[in-house]
Amino acid sequence: MYYKLSGVVKKVDYTDSAANSSAISDHVRFIRVYATTDCFITISNPAVTATNAATPIAAKDYEVFKVTEGQIVSAIRSASNGSLYISELTE
């Protein structure tokens, strides 16, 4: 399946403390996430703080997730501080 980049990219800088994105925009059903270092994420509404028991994301790779508007992405580092880029996608 192919998706169109909506032009909205959210950046979340994470450390040993979890950081949250702003809410996913209306009419967005998928996001692509890219992490600069290994991290863990949660996607929920209301926000659930990411922990090292959450979904792992490998550094310098991307994953696509189905979402609903208003959800929030939370991220926390695995070992090194980094940034999570969240690209909102449309069909």
Side-chain angles (χ1 to χ4, degrees):
M1 181 176 255
Y2 295 97
Y3 306 100
K4 179 181 171 188
L5 292 170
S6 71
V8 176
V9 179
K10 301 171 188 298
K11 181 182 177 196
V12 176
D13 296 318
Y14 51 83
T15 62
D16 59 344
S17 297
N20 293 345
S21 72
S22 57
I24 300 298
S25 302
D26 293 349
H27 309 295
V28 171
R29 296 296 172 255
F30 296 91
I31 58 171
R32 182 179 70 179
V33 298
Y34 172 88
T36 58
T37 63
D38 292 346
C39 66
F40 299 92
I41 69 166
T42 60
I43 303 171
S44 60
N45 185 11
V48 173
T49 302
T51 67
N52 61 5
T55 302
I57 300 295
K60 300 187 178 28
D61 199 1
Y62 71 89
E63 297 276 347
V64 175
F65 294 94
K66 184 166 178 54
V67 295
T68 57
E69 61 190 57
Q71 287 188 309
I72 294 170
V73 180
S74 180
I76 192 168
R77 74 179 189 191
S78 175
S80 301
N81 295 350
S83 297
L84 183 73
Y85 294 88
I86 305 160
S87 300
E88 295 186 348
L89 308 175
T90 58
E91 292 186 82

